[in-house]
Amino acid sequence: MAEYRLIFVAVGPFKTGTTWIYEYLKMHDKICVPNRTKETFFFDKKYSKGIDYYFSYFDQDNTNKILGEIAPSYFHSPEAPYRIHDLNPNCKIIVTLREPIDRLISYYLHMLRRGDIGKETSFRDVLQQGTILNSSRYYYHLSRWISLFGAANVKILYYELLRDKPDKFVKYLCQALGVKNLAVPPKLSRRINTALVPINYDLIRVLYKTTRLLRKRELHGIVNFAKSLGWHNLLFNKNYKLDSIPPEELEYALTLISEDIKMLEESLGLDLSVWREDWHRKNLTIY
């Protein structure tokens, strides 16, 4: 049995490029990530299964490789940071952050895409339900990771850099992991997991419910094969426009997270000028 030691966990919240990062690191000859599925959900939902179960997700042939996981659900989990710390207090934590309004919109479209909400559900409705706001409390959750692992072990990267300059993004990512930089492969030059709206909500709801059931039963191979067939290209509407969300709903979203953003700048000293430029282009105002 190979010897396993968890070296890093990428915990950027949902819709911050984590699938792209997983696909990139999967190709790196010095990195070992779970091979059957991107997310194991071990440290937040399956911890009772034991550490041997967790490491069964990794290839046994991992000599001279560093082991890690891409796990967006861990970012806002109350338990995951402490469980990871118990396993390796020096674990490297990679956090990708995305301009929060764009991320909330992307998350909202993701919920539409999966049929988790109906097309009659507005962006404001979802915000008021609190469904997607918790993981947008960047400062609240990030400060917990920093408190546990120390600022030196928590590397913050920005989704906007990945979007605009992926070669520069992977340079910083590989530096943080202590491995040689791998050039961005051509297959990753396109966006992954672009949010689209389903043509038939009832059908897509059944398909994703089935997918979750298969994942729960560890039948990842079936899910991966189904994805490779490209069925989703036939079931989604590519013509949905982000500007269909009214400006007042975007302003409302910004007011809900403004205090958290203020703490990112004032308490953690993060440079959010790229985000501010985006708000200016959208005519959004913040404190």
Side-chain angles (χ1 to χ4, degrees), residues 75 95 97 137-147 150-151 154 156 158 259-272 275:
F75 178 71
V95 182
L97 296 181
R137 300 168 67 195
Y138 291 167
Y139 171 77
Y140 177 80
H141 299 297
L142 185 57
S143 58
R144 179 170 56 227
W145 290 98
I146 292 174
S147 175
V154 178
I156 299 170
Y158 292 93
E259 188 62 31
D260 192 88
I261 292 169
K262 184 177 181 179
M263 294 298 289
L264 287 176
E265 292 183 311
E266 296 184 356
S267 294
L268 296 184
L270 299 189
D271 179 5
L272 305 183
W275 294 0

Side-chain angles (χ1 to χ4, degrees), residues 230-279:
W231 56 266
H232 57 284
N233 293 326
L234 304 175
L235 298 172
F236 293 100
N237 180 1
K238 298 182 174 63
N239 297 318
Y240 188 90
K241 303 296 184 183
L242 289 183
D243 59 7
S244 63
I245 298 177
E248 60 269 20
E249 294 195 6
L250 302 183
E251 284 280 6
Y252 175 67
L254 194 57
T255 61
L256 294 177
I257 56 175
S258 61
E259 188 62 31
D260 192 88
I261 292 169
K262 184 177 181 179
M263 294 298 289
L264 287 176
E265 292 183 311
E266 296 184 356
S267 294
L268 296 184
L270 299 189
D271 179 5
L272 305 183
S273 55
V274 173
W275 294 0
R276 289 187 171 278
E277 290 171 6
D278 191 64
W279 297 329

Side-chain angles (χ1 to χ4, degrees), residues 112-260:
L112 284 171
R113 181 179 190 267
R114 295 170 63 95
D116 292 334
I117 56 176
K119 58 184 177 181
E120 73 285 350
T121 306
S122 71
F123 183 54
R124 188 184 185 98
D125 289 338
V126 174
L127 292 175
Q128 290 177 336
Q129 293 166 7
T131 308
I132 62 179
L133 273 177
N134 184 35
S135 57
S136 296
R137 300 168 67 195
Y138 291 167
Y139 171 77
Y140 177 80
H141 299 297
L142 185 57
S143 58
R144 179 170 56 227
W145 290 98
I146 292 174
S147 175
L148 270 177
F149 292 91
N153 281 331
V154 178
K155 177 65 175 179
I156 299 170
L157 299 173
Y158 292 93
Y159 169 86
E160 289 75 20
L161 184 62
L162 170 58
R163 179 194 64 199
D164 299 333
K165 298 179 180 179
D167 289 326
K168 191 171 183 179
F169 178 89
V170 298
K171 176 183 176 181
Y172 291 144
L173 174 63
C174 289
Q175 284 179 348
L177 297 178
V179 296
K180 185 178 179 180
N181 185 26
L182 170 70
V184 176
K187 70 172 288 188
L188 292 182
S189 61
R190 59 180 176 81
R191 293 184 66 183
I192 294 177
N193 275 354
T194 301
L196 301 172
V197 175
I199 294 171
N200 186 308
Y201 279 83
D202 292 332
L203 176 58
I204 208 67
R205 191 175 292 113
V206 170
L207 286 172
Y208 275 105
K209 183 177 180 180
T210 302
T211 296
R212 285 190 285 266
L213 180 60
L214 291 171
R215 290 286 191 196
K216 185 176 181 180
R217 296 184 177 180
E218 310 289 337
L219 298 174
H220 305 293
I222 297 176
V223 177
N224 295 336
F225 175 73
K227 283 186 175 181
S228 71
L229 297 177
W231 56 266
H232 57 284
N233 293 326
L234 304 175
L235 298 172
F236 293 100
N237 180 1
K238 298 182 174 63
N239 297 318
Y240 188 90
K241 303 296 184 183
L242 289 183
D243 59 7
S244 63
I245 298 177
E248 60 269 20
E249 294 195 6
L250 302 183
E251 284 280 6
Y252 175 67
L254 194 57
T255 61
L256 294 177
I257 56 175
S258 61
E259 188 62 31
D260 192 88

Side-chain angles (χ1 to χ4, degrees), residues 55-103:
F55 283 128
S56 71
Y57 275 96
F58 297 87
D59 286 332
Q60 291 195 26
D61 182 16
N62 57 66
T63 306
N64 298 322
K65 294 184 179 182
I66 65 172
L67 271 67
E69 184 184 4
I70 318 301
S73 68
Y74 294 171
F75 178 71
H76 59 280
S77 166
E79 301 88 6
Y82 298 96
R83 291 168 175 172
I84 295 170
H85 188 268
D86 286 344
L87 183 64
N88 179 9
N90 294 312
C91 187
K92 296 177 181 178
I93 307 300
I94 309 297
V95 182
T96 43
L97 296 181
R98 177 179 183 175
E99 190 279 299
I101 302 303
D102 271 352
R103 195 194 78 88

